[in-house]
Amino acid sequence: MLEDLTPPFRTVRCKMGRIIDSLDDSDKSILEKALADMNVWSAKALARELTNRGLSITEGPLGLHRVKSCGCFR
């Protein structure tokens, strides 16, 4: 009776993940490179620049996504 019992598939994306998903391929690539380069972009500076360009994000969710501690990576 329970042979096919499996946990539900979750597709919970954090705010940063949803922003990434909303971008075209070129912008997505640029943002992913910026997220990966912690020596050049601090979370605060990157969040500020994204907000200035109309993408509302704060350093908290950005930082969690950057270190893979958000819903995108669970």
Side-chain angles (χ1 to χ4, degrees):
M1 176 170 96
L2 300 176
E3 294 83 19
D4 63 345
L5 183 67
T6 58
F9 180 72
R10 291 179 41 173
T11 57
V12 177
R13 296 285 281 169
C14 73
K15 185 162 185 166
M16 189 75 244
R18 290 190 306 269
I19 287 173
I20 291 168
D21 291 344
S22 73
L23 298 173
D24 63 36
D25 290 339
S26 175
D27 287 339
K28 186 181 294 190
S29 176
I30 292 167
L31 180 53
E32 287 173 344
K33 286 177 186 174
L35 284 167
D37 196 348
M38 291 188 224
N39 293 321
V40 174
W41 285 104
S42 69
K44 187 173 190 171
L46 186 54
R48 182 178 49 246
E49 289 304 315
L50 293 173
T51 299
N52 289 343
R53 287 166 171 77
L55 301 171
S56 179
I57 188 79
T58 60
E59 63 186 280
L62 189 152
L64 289 174
H65 183 86
R66 188 177 242 182
V67 297
K68 300 180 179 173
S69 292
C70 64
C72 297
F73 300 99
R74 289 187 194 146

